[in-house]
Amino acid sequence: MKQSLEQYIFEHSLNTPDRVAIMAHGEATSYASLWSMILARAEELRREGVSPGDVYVIRSQQSLSYLVTYFALHYLHAVVCPLEKNVSDQRFNQICSDVAGLKCDPETDSDILYTTGTTGVSKGVLISRRAILCNGENLVFALGFRSDLTFVITGPINHSGNWSKVIPTMMVGATLYVLEDMKDVNLFFDAMSYGSHKTACFLVPASIRMLLLLSRKRLSALSDKIDFIETGGAPISSADMKMLAETLPHTRLFNTYASSECGMICTYNFNDGKYKNSCCGTPMKHASFEIVEGKVVCQNGGQMSGYVNAPQLTASVLREGRVYTNDLARIDDDGMLVIEGRDGDVINVGAMKVSPSEVESVALAFPEVSDCICLPKPHPVMGNVVRLLVVAKAPETFDKRKLVQFIASRLENYKVPQTIELVDAVKRTYNGKLDRKAYL
């Protein structure tokens, strides 16, 4: 493993100078050209006063210029703080103030990733240069990145689910194909059909469901072209696992457990005929996990160094070199990690606990349900009961009683929704996760 991502790019510029490194907005850039751009941009930034250890706050963009700037900042040993491209000026300036004067080590520190997590409190996660490369190696070995691959970025590059795939793509000298988002499905299929090599992508579960509902035939036609699809960031239902596997029988399909704090921890190829619900598989090369008091505790060469300007919060999460999460989980008989929900999301029904994702997974297997979200509903006796908001494929003919019967045949009685409401859409965050906080 080399000392920086930029060293990998430099070597590819020498060994495979004409290979396409980045495809963005219809323009292909070779590794030789990419390296020249990085050096030129680094010189511009140096003249602007950027020095080793400086924190550089930047709005991320789905563009070649953004990636060149990111690599150039690392070349200068600056620390990059990438934010969502549509972040407000007020929030941008607030974060600039938060990191102003921050003492970073130019030899070890690499990125500051801002995440809200489940509490809604903004946290700056400090990532080291070594962590970036360890996460890259985790993915290279676990997912099988190769130089003859085109990886398609389908969402915000500053989001860890997408940015983490830039790293292994550059490490192995493959091609990165950058899309703005998933709003234009035709552009997505053009990207997944690109070139003569195999293609791959990361898709949040909501995007997978959209493709299965609206474009399943087009997806199936690429079964021999798509090497793998990775998902994560939110639970994928076993019904969608099964449908995607049937659509792409020759494609490796991964459900990965990861976070900004933990890095890339484990993954499960669910195209195995089992479609294990909420299963995230076995540890990657530099990672390990265990269950402590019902929650996931991770150790990983790719984990965070700590939270910015928050020593007490860091001490509560990062202890003895391990990251203590709020993810409720168990390890199954095959040694695989099975996520049972977030501690703050669990619904207490009397003395029993309900995982919303389990209820949602079953509901999504009902043929007439397009999308849903499971929430608590206050009850004078039970404390809470289960409430389910449903997006129906045909609202005018939807039968709530049949859905209740369907769920009751698969789950314990206390997990069956007491209230089912039809809605036009469920609320999600910008990166596709169910936004449970929006309903509080």
Side-chain angles (χ1 to χ4, degrees):
M1 186 165 61
K2 295 177 175 56
Q3 293 184 348
S4 72
L5 190 56
E6 292 66 49
Q7 288 182 345
Y8 283 95
I9 297 173
F10 170 65
E11 288 204 0
H12 299 320
S13 74
L14 297 178
N15 299 329
T16 55
D18 297 327
R19 179 178 293 155
V20 176
I22 297 173
M23 182 74 178
H25 301 289
E27 181 179 348
T29 301
S30 69
Y31 272 97
S33 295
L34 176 61
W35 183 246
S36 296
M37 291 177 180
I38 291 170
L39 294 179
R41 181 63 176 136
E43 183 57 33
E44 291 177 356
L45 291 166
R46 186 184 287 111
R47 289 198 299 267
E48 291 173 13
V50 176
S51 300
D54 288 353
V55 179
Y56 193 98
V57 184
I58 184 174
R59 287 181 170 89
S60 69
Q61 300 289 334
Q62 307 297 106
S63 65
L64 172 64
S65 61
Y66 168 76
L67 290 167
V68 168
T69 296
Y70 179 91
F71 296 135
L73 287 164
H74 279 183
Y75 179 80
L76 295 175
H77 285 242
V79 176
V80 188
C81 181
L83 305 180
E84 182 187 354
K85 67 177 182 180
N86 294 322
V87 66
S88 68
D89 289 342
Q90 180 181 4
R91 180 66 180 140
F92 185 91
N93 292 332
Q94 179 188 345
I95 290 176
C96 287
S97 177
D98 288 346
V99 301
L102 190 66
K103 301 295 183 182
C104 290
D105 188 333
E107 296 304 316
T108 59
D109 297 333
S110 174
D111 287 30
I112 296 175
L113 306 177
Y114 269 82
T115 175
T116 56
T118 58
T119 64
V121 178
S122 180
K123 303 183 288 285
V125 180
L126 181 61
I127 307 295
S128 71
R129 296 165 74 87
R130 179 178 180 274
I132 281 185
L133 296 181
C134 283
N135 281 325
E137 278 202 347
N138 281 348
L139 291 166
V140 167
F141 286 96
L143 273 60
F145 277 78
R146 305 184 313 273
S147 59
D148 59 343
L149 178 76
T150 296
F151 193 91
V152 179
I153 296 291
T154 61
I157 294 182
N158 67 302
H159 176 238
S160 60
N162 296 295
W163 170 242
S164 61
K165 309 313 173 303
V166 174
I167 303 163
T169 303
M170 294 291 102
M171 288 177 75
V172 301
T175 298
L176 190 73
Y177 196 120
V178 181
L179 293 178
E180 191 70 30
D181 49 40
M182 284 290 291
K183 292 179 181 178
D184 190 331
V185 72
N186 292 319
L187 292 179
F188 169 75
F189 281 108
D190 286 346
M192 296 302 290
S193 305
Y194 175 76
S196 59
H197 296 153
K198 291 273 191 174
T199 55
C201 66
F202 171 86
L203 295 171
V204 294
S207 294
I208 289 174
R209 189 160 186 83
M210 177 193 73
L211 290 171
L212 291 173
L213 290 175
L214 303 177
S215 305
R216 189 176 179 185
K217 287 185 178 180
R218 294 182 70 180
L219 192 61
S220 178
L222 293 175
S223 181
D224 292 325
K225 175 73 170 173
I226 302 176
D227 182 15
F228 67 86
I229 292 176
E230 185 205 22
T231 190
I236 180 172
S237 70
S238 55
D240 283 354
M241 286 184 182
K242 185 174 185 293
M243 188 182 298
L244 186 61
E246 291 172 346
T247 304
L248 299 171
H250 309 304
T251 299
R252 294 175 299 131
L253 305 170
F254 295 102
N255 187 36
T256 297
Y257 177 74
S259 71
S260 299
E261 289 90 342
C262 295
M264 313 306 298
I265 298 297
C266 55
T267 197
Y268 161 55
N269 181 2
F270 58 83
N271 202 345
D272 61 354
K274 298 178 181 179
Y275 321 120
K276 292 184 176 184
N277 189 45
S278 299
C279 181
C280 298
T282 53
M284 297 185 189
K285 179 178 180 179
H286 297 287
S288 63
F289 58 76
E290 60 182 309
I291 306 301
V292 178
E293 298 180 350
K295 298 179 183 178
V296 182
V297 176
C298 307
Q299 191 166 26
N300 182 17
Q303 70 192 30
M304 71 173 181
S305 302
Y307 293 116
V308 172
N309 295 326
Q312 291 184 337
L313 181 60
T314 297
S316 70
V317 173
L318 188 59
R319 307 198 296 272
E320 298 175 347
R322 300 186 297 172
V323 178
Y324 285 71
T325 77
N326 277 321
D327 292 320
L328 302 171
R330 60 183 173 85
I331 299 175
D332 69 10
D333 293 339
D334 296 320
M336 294 189 177
L337 183 68
V338 179
I339 301 297
E340 297 181 329
R342 294 285 294 180
D343 191 15
D345 293 339
V346 169
I347 302 171
N348 292 304
V349 179
M352 311 300 287
K353 296 185 182 297
V354 178
S355 168
S357 62
E358 182 182 15
V359 178
E360 291 155 359
S361 180
V362 172
L364 288 170
F366 189 67
E368 302 307 315
V369 172
S370 176
D371 202 359
C372 66
I373 185 170
C374 179
L375 302 164
K377 180 180 180 181
H379 189 275
V381 176
M382 303 299 291
N384 287 297
V385 291
V386 178
R387 170 190 179 206
L388 191 68
L389 306 186
V390 172
V391 179
K393 294 179 182 177
E396 62 280 359
T397 59
F398 188 81
D399 192 330
K400 296 181 182 179
R401 291 173 299 176
K402 288 185 177 179
L403 175 58
V404 170
Q405 292 168 358
F406 180 86
I407 296 174
S409 69
R410 289 160 173 79
L411 295 177
E412 296 89 340
N413 184 60
Y414 65 91
K415 297 179 181 178
V416 177
Q418 298 297 302
T419 301
I420 293 180
E421 303 170 29
L422 296 185
V423 295
D424 294 331
V426 298
K427 297 176 182 179
R428 293 183 178 273
T429 64
Y430 80 98
N431 54 22
K433 294 182 182 180
L434 291 171
D435 191 357
R436 302 188 194 278
K437 294 193 292 292
Y439 293 93
L440 296 180

